[in-house]
Amino acid sequence: MGRLGTLARAEDANSPHQDQRRPNTPWRIRIGTFAATAAMVSAGIVLGAGPASAAPAPVRLTSASCPAEIVQGQTSGCVTELQNLLNTHGAGLQVDGQFGSATLYAVREYQAATAIAVDGRVGPATKSKLYATGGSAPAPINLNSSSCPANLVQGAKSGCVTELQRLLIHHGYSIDVDGDFGSGTASAVRSFQSAHGLTVDGQVGTNTKRELYDTDESPSTGLDLRSASCPANIVEGQSGGCVATLQSLLNGKGHSLDVDGSFGPQTLAAVKAFQSASGLSADGEVGPNTKAALYSNIGGGGGSGAPAPVNLNSSSCPNEIVQGQRSGCVTELQSLLNHHGADLAVDGDFGPLTGSAVRDFQSEKGLSVDGKVGPNTKAALYGAVTPPSSPAPGGGYAKMLDVAAAEVGTAEGSARANSYGSAVGLSLSTSGYAWCATFVSWVAKQTGATSYRNTYVSGWVKQARAGNYHLSVTSNPQPGDIVAFDWNGGNDFTGGHEHIGIVRSVSGSSFTTVEGNTSNPNGGGDGVYVKSRSTNSSYDVLFIRVR
């Protein structure tokens, strides 16, 4: 997660990714989150390549044959086309031409991630964005499924190739996602194989597949508990990706579990506590009602549509946005509040629930609690942090956690997240590269804690081990320290399997972090979020003191 193919670094001089760039797509769902893995996660839903045989033939959404708004309950070729488009962005839907609850969920997630009014209705703005961010390709299929050949080779055209291309993009290669294994994809495969010490034959076999899925978020928490890939009732004693997702969701509700994919006594206790707090039967079994409650904070509406969002600081929005107003400014406000943990229907209507969410947000941020969205509240909603004036290097380490924590909830691809690149001289969308180390660099710049900046995790580790730039390695981590992860072990923090964040709290072998470019514990796209980690896990951890 600490690699950036657009920059050349001394320690990465031989990297095949040098001077390559990921496509600057406005929306990218990382493997291990809402559903780049949903292609593999919806095994019982997606695993037969392409649309179901009963699906109506796809019809272009912008044609006269499709209604101005495509909504839940409709069945048509327009819905088939919609599902295909959503699947090219990782939704993992069964393509049946029926606009059901799963399609509604995918539409809302896509809208939230691309700053469209989250109303679940596919109107002109959503249609335009879907086509602008990528055309149709076969629905992605897990490379390890029985639907994909043992060796995927040049010339193949299928959802297996779509999945391969998405994984290659995730590892930093600039290729089209069209489901067609052409020369460009073949070249990327050979480069990937060379970089990872594999036989360079251009064929995607067992070893290459395993390495492609060895991604920078571990363990995988991409499985949707409500999908056919997970048991109807998840119970103590089970293990795997569904349990990892369960643990991640519970942590998002305030628990502090190790996300190890094993449903043991601690997970059982957390499930019962959550069920009790949610008014459910505290039986420790994660069935439909408990799953629904765990996912209950997914933002969404479903009313009669919402005005297109408008930046709160634009001249189109009043100086103070107040209850009773209905506009695109309110749409934007509600989306921002949801990014900070609210659970509002994004309908562009500033009613009592939005007013209550505004007051809660103001109270949390230490602002005047008046329910009016003026300049200070707007700045806080966009996560504005005022850096200290000319801080001396090494003098702002105590502020590292404060600055990082203020960014929690910032969504990948948003203007705020994209601004982090300024710390390292980048003006790229965070939807297009691995930016965890960029985030740490930005935090360091805001505080002046160290003058070091690097987009590679390996760079931070190297300088800490050398004792440069007020950085050192510590075995006694404290809040505000930096922590580096080597997901595939070896303690070398190279090869593209690493990650980095800021320590938030420590309790024995367990600790929490604030991380950029990480999956949302509550489901949805990547961003800046709090994660629970442990030193007693399969990955290597190195703590960096900033003094």
Side-chain angles (χ1 to χ4, degrees):
M1 196 179 264
R3 302 173 299 108
L4 176 61
T6 55
L7 298 180
R9 301 291 184 199
E11 66 270 30
D12 297 297
N14 297 320
S15 169
H17 309 310
Q18 184 172 329
D19 296 326
Q20 290 181 327
R21 179 175 299 182
R22 296 182 183 183
N24 191 17
T25 52
W27 187 45
R28 177 181 56 80
I29 299 297
R30 178 171 298 284
I31 305 301
T33 62
F34 160 64
T37 326
M40 82 180 176
V41 300
S42 299
I45 296 178
V46 192
L47 287 185
S53 58
V59 177
R60 189 172 177 84
L61 303 184
T62 53
S63 73
S65 300
C66 292
E69 282 194 334
I70 304 169
V71 298
Q72 187 175 11
Q74 295 178 359
T75 299
S76 67
C78 306
V79 179
T80 302
E81 174 81 346
L82 168 64
Q83 292 168 328
N84 280 328
L85 288 167
L86 289 168
N87 280 346
T88 66
H89 296 287
L93 295 169
Q94 178 183 3
V95 181
D96 56 9
Q98 299 179 25
F99 197 137
S101 57
T103 301
L104 176 64
Y105 176 81
V107 168
R108 287 175 174 169
E109 286 294 312
Y110 178 78
Q111 290 172 326
T114 54
I116 301 172
V118 185
D119 57 9
R121 307 169 74 89
V122 184
T126 303
K127 293 176 183 179
S128 175
K129 183 71 75 171
L130 280 165
Y131 283 115
T133 55
S136 295
I141 301 172
N142 189 310
L143 298 182
N144 295 312
S145 77
S146 59
S147 298
C148 293
N151 284 287
L152 193 61
V153 299
Q154 187 170 351
K157 295 181 180 180
S158 68
C160 305
V161 180
T162 302
E163 174 79 342
L164 166 64
Q165 291 167 329
R166 290 182 60 81
L167 289 167
L168 287 168
I169 286 174
H170 175 70
H171 284 281
Y173 294 89
S174 178
I175 56 175
D176 292 331
V177 180
D178 56 9
D180 188 347
F181 197 141
S183 58
T185 300
S187 176
V189 167
R190 287 190 292 271
S191 180
F192 175 83
Q193 290 171 326
S194 175
H196 292 268
L198 303 169
T199 300
V200 183
D201 57 8
Q203 298 184 23
V204 183
T206 302
N207 293 335
T208 302
K209 291 176 184 178
R210 181 175 58 249
E211 197 69 18
L212 282 165
Y213 279 117
D214 186 4
T215 55
D216 46 13
E217 275 302 316
S218 175
S220 173
T221 56
L223 287 164
D224 189 316
L225 302 185
R226 301 160 296 182
S227 75
S229 298
C230 292
N233 286 285
I234 305 172
V235 299
E236 186 177 12
Q238 294 178 353
S239 61
C242 299
V243 177
T245 297
L246 167 63
Q247 292 167 327
S248 183
L249 288 168
L250 287 167
N251 286 344
K253 301 291 186 178
H255 296 275
S256 299
L257 298 169
D258 287 340
V259 183
D260 57 9
S262 180
F263 196 139
Q266 290 184 328
T267 302
L268 177 64
V271 168
K272 289 182 176 179
F274 172 75
Q275 289 172 324
S276 179
S278 302
L280 301 170
S281 175
D283 57 8
E285 296 187 7
V286 184
N289 292 336
T290 302
K291 293 176 183 179
L294 284 165
Y295 283 101
S296 64
N297 68 332
I298 299 297
S304 57
V310 177
N311 189 292
L312 303 185
N313 295 313
S314 75
S315 59
S316 301
C317 292
N319 186 56
E320 282 193 336
I321 305 170
V322 299
Q323 190 166 336
Q325 295 177 0
R326 175 178 168 80
S327 67
C329 306
V330 179
T331 302
E332 175 84 345
L333 167 64
Q334 292 168 326
S335 292
L336 288 168
L337 287 168
N338 281 350
H339 280 310
H340 287 281
D343 184 20
L344 298 169
V346 182
D347 55 10
D349 192 349
F350 196 139
L353 292 178
T354 300
S356 177
V358 168
R359 288 188 290 274
D360 287 345
F361 175 79
Q362 291 172 326
S363 176
E364 178 185 338
K365 297 298 181 181
L367 303 169
S368 176
V369 183
D370 57 8
K372 298 178 180 180
V373 184
N376 291 336
T377 302
K378 292 176 183 178
L381 282 163
Y382 283 113
V385 175
T386 302
S389 56
S390 303
Y397 61 85
K399 297 293 185 182
M400 288 282 285
L401 178 57
D402 291 342
V403 172
E407 300 301 300
V408 172
T410 301
E412 180 177 281
S414 66
R416 181 62 181 176
N418 296 345
S419 72
Y420 299 149
S422 63
V424 289
L426 290 176
S427 57
L428 296 175
S429 169
T430 45
S431 293
Y433 73 101
W435 52 278
C436 60
T438 295
F439 175 67
V440 171
S441 296
W442 181 86
V443 172
K445 182 178 180 181
Q446 304 308 302
T447 61
T450 172
S451 61
Y452 188 65
R453 314 279 184 266
N454 204 319
T455 58
Y456 293 93
V457 176
S458 57
W460 285 93
V461 170
K462 178 180 178 180
Q463 299 304 333
R465 285 173 168 168
N468 298 329
Y469 298 98
H470 298 276
L471 304 174
S472 61
V473 175
T474 180
S475 59
N476 181 32
Q478 302 294 327
D481 285 342
I482 296 170
V483 56
F485 304 91
D486 190 344
W487 296 135
N488 63 341
N491 206 34
D492 55 359
F493 297 89
T494 59
H497 304 295
E498 60 274 357
H499 184 45
I500 197 165
I502 308 293
V503 176
R504 178 173 176 266
S505 64
V506 181
S507 178
S509 62
S510 299
F511 60 97
T512 63
T513 56
V514 178
E515 303 171 10
N517 196 32
T518 195
S519 58
N520 185 340
N522 298 321
D526 286 4
V528 181
Y529 296 106
V530 174
K531 303 303 275 289
S532 296
R533 304 295 190 187
S534 173
T535 56
N536 292 335
S537 296
S538 59
Y539 46 82
D540 290 328
V541 175
L542 182 136
F543 294 102
I544 300 173
R545 178 62 45 82
V546 186
R547 290 289 188 274

